[in-house]
Structures are given as structure tokens and as C-alpha cells.
Amino acid sequence: MRHLKRTAVAIAGCAVWGVGLSAPQAQAASAEHSGAVNSVEAGYVLACQGQAGERFVGVELYANSAHGNVVSVSVEGPDGQYGGGTNPPALFDDGTVSAELPIERLDGEGGAAGTAVIVGSYAPVGEPTRVHELYREPGWNVIATGVNQRLDSEVSVTLLGETVPLICGDAFAYDLRVTRTPA
């Protein structure tokens, strides 16, 4: 169940990065629930962390067939805080994942700090798990049903002159039917 909640957080993140429901999706209404918006959403989630010396790195990779792709990187270390995010047109591709995005200083100094290059692989593990989840998003009551499939992943990020191997605590594929009803 927590994996699906992670998906909801990632969907909310799409809104932050400018990826939202398209006009046709927003206009789609179910005969059962006036104002309900139905979608089929399939994709991948990798939420990863790593450490190089005293520098901690977090990377989130999210793909959603209905809402697009989101990548974010955050770095914290003795030399400051860095981060970046983007919405690449492609992210997960037949067992491989790759992204490149600019990062900048997030502390008082600001400014460009280079590029983060993320590469890796993923593969399904075990049997899919059925999910049925009820939760809230801002302005919506949400029902999501379908399956999650755990992924085995091997991912690294190269940034600020270092390559950092990552461990992806949340790593799964999902295929869901989602109904959002105005709250």
C-alpha cells in the first residue's frame, strides 16, 4: 500500500513541475459519478539514495503514461546544497533508465553547478501485487485499482565530479485504473 501512496506523491510532484491533467482528461466524466475523471495510468517509480564521502544524494525517477515523466535530484554535503528537476520526453526504456538534467546551488550562493547524468537498469521481480487504494489529493477523492510490480534496479548518478551508486528503496512498475472525484 505504501508504494501506491508513493505514486500519489509523485503524481502530485507532476503538478509542481507543470505536468497535469490534459483538457480531455479533465473533461472526461463518468456516468456513475458526476465530475469524476477516469484514467489508466501505467509507469515506473524509482526513489533512490546514495552517498559519496560526506555528500548525500537523492534521485527520484517517475514515469506515468497519463502525466509524463519527472526526474529530480537533490544533493547535500559540506560544500552546500544542490538540486534540479526536469520533465524528459523519455526516461524508462525496455529495462534501462537514463536522464540528464542541470543542477544548481540551492543555498545562498545560487547559480548553475553542472549536470547530473543518471543511468541504470531495472527488471521485474516476483509476482505483481494487487492494489486497491483510497486517498485524497488536493481537491480530489481518489480510488486506484490495479497492480504494482516490484523492480530490481541498479542506478548511478554522475554529478559534481563524482559517480554515486544509488540504492532504490522504492522501485516498482504500476498499472492502475484511477478515478478522481471532486472532493
Side-chain angles (χ1 to χ4, degrees), residues 155-178:
V155 182
S156 66
V157 60
T158 302
L159 48 72
L160 303 171
E162 296 183 80
T163 298
V164 181
L166 302 171
I167 296 171
C168 302
D170 279 336
F172 61 96
Y174 61 94
D175 189 354
L176 305 171
R177 177 174 168 81
V178 180

Side-chain angles (χ1 to χ4, degrees), residues 130-152:
R130 291 222 169 268
V131 294
H132 179 86
E133 183 92 4
L134 304 161
Y135 57 94
R136 294 203 57 162
E137 290 178 350
W140 299 96
N141 293 318
V142 182
I143 300 172
T145 57
V147 295
N148 281 356
Q149 173 75 50
R150 193 168 63 86
L151 298 175
D152 183 28

Side-chain angles (χ1 to χ4, degrees), residues 22-99:
S22 66
Q25 289 171 317
Q27 294 171 356
S30 166
E32 298 173 25
H33 303 286
S34 178
V37 178
N38 295 303
S39 61
V40 174
E41 300 178 21
Y44 303 91
V45 173
L46 294 178
C48 313
Q49 299 175 6
Q51 184 174 347
E54 294 182 55
R55 186 177 283 152
F56 296 91
V57 178
V59 172
E60 294 194 4
L61 305 147
Y62 173 74
N64 182 300
S65 60
H67 302 290
N69 301 315
V70 178
V71 179
S72 66
V73 173
S74 60
V75 181
E76 187 172 329
D79 58 342
Q81 295 179 335
Y82 304 85
T86 190
N87 300 98
L91 184 56
F92 291 85
D93 184 24
D94 196 27
T96 63
V97 61
S98 63

